[in-house]
Amino acid sequence: MIKATGLIFLGPPGSGKGTQAQLLSKLAGIPHISTGEILREAIDLQTPLGQQAKIYVERGELVPDSLILDLIRERLAQADTEQGWILDGFPRNVNQAIFLDNLLSELNHRSEHVVNLEVPQEVLVERLLLRGRKDDTEETIRRRLQVYQDQTFPLIEYYRQQSKLCAVNGNRLPEEVTESLTKMMKG
Ligand code: ADP
């Protein structure tokens, strides 16, 4: 028996997945799990995880899987995920995606939709520069987009083969994107 179904956000840095994930989580009353946010908080609080992750996040590299996988396992096993969940920033490479598939079947959860928010590259760079988060310097942005191309982009094909991929045009007003996403979740 499936206990919970979830939504996975793919999409490059700057595609708006964090904004949309947060909104949908409020609308649907299910938790928003952002690995980027978890890591930034750990870095600010200087926890052991934060101390290990800092150098990677500042360079725009992925942190090693060993820092992320247990964290996801523990988070998805918490009781508040039983009505569903939204993952933002995980999985980010093929190893993480395979881990997640195994974890979800262990927990009797299922990923129903995998959303790829599509935004042209030049718009992404513009948005990220405007956003000005701590790790949004021009050099890190370039690095993060490259890491996305090399490691995360292959997941689009991975989920297409599982017939879970939903491409959504992210180059529109945020409320238009939200509308498409809520329709998708209902449909
Ligand atoms: P963005 O999508 O804008 O790059 P995130 O908040 O998702 O921002 O991630 C910020 C940083 O946190 C990434 O550049 C990376 O260093 C790290 N990170 C987040 N999620 C993961 C993950 N699943 N695996 C490895 N590193 C991650």
Side-chain angles (χ1 to χ4, degrees), residues 17 35-36 39-40 61 63 89 92 96 131 133 144:
K17 59 186 160 49
T35 43
L39 291 172
R40 279 190 293 280
E61 306 277 348
V63 309
R92 240 182 167 93
Q96 292 181 6
R131 183 169 77 177
R133 204 172 66 196
R144 297 221 304 280

Side-chain angles (χ1 to χ4, degrees), residues 12 119-126 141-142 145-146 148-149:
V119 177
Q121 173 98 1
E122 61 277 13
V123 178
L124 294 175
V125 177
E126 213 173 282
I141 289 171
R142 238 179 286 124
L145 289 169
Q146 190 60 47
Y148 172 80
Q149 274 309 316

Side-chain angles (χ1 to χ4, degrees), residues 33-43 57 68 88-90 92 133 135:
I33 303 170
S34 158
T35 43
E37 253 172 42
I38 294 170
L39 291 172
R40 279 190 293 280
E41 196 179 295
I43 291 171
V57 173
I68 287 280
D88 160 18
F90 188 94
R92 240 182 167 93
R133 204 172 66 196
D135 58 342

Side-chain angles (χ1 to χ4, degrees), residues 112-180:
E112 191 151 69
H113 299 289
V114 179
V115 175
N116 181 34
L117 275 184
E118 296 180 328
V119 177
Q121 173 98 1
E122 61 277 13
V123 178
L124 294 175
V125 177
E126 213 173 282
R127 283 185 184 178
L128 290 167
L129 283 171
L130 280 175
R131 183 169 77 177
R133 204 172 66 196
K134 238 192 252 161
D135 58 342
D136 284 340
T137 64
E138 199 163 343
E139 199 187 329
T140 328
I141 289 171
R142 238 179 286 124
R143 187 77 201 117
R144 297 221 304 280
L145 289 169
Q146 190 60 47
V147 167
Y148 172 80
Q149 274 309 316
D150 295 345
Q151 301 195 52
T152 312
F153 188 75
L155 296 186
I156 292 176
E157 196 45 43
Y158 180 90
Y159 285 116
R160 186 180 287 131
Q161 281 177 14
Q162 296 188 3
S163 307
K164 285 183 181 158
L165 193 76
C166 313
V168 173
N169 174 9
N171 194 18
R172 295 177 290 165
L173 292 173
E175 46 273 32
E176 293 174 332
V177 179
T178 310
E179 201 188 324
S180 299

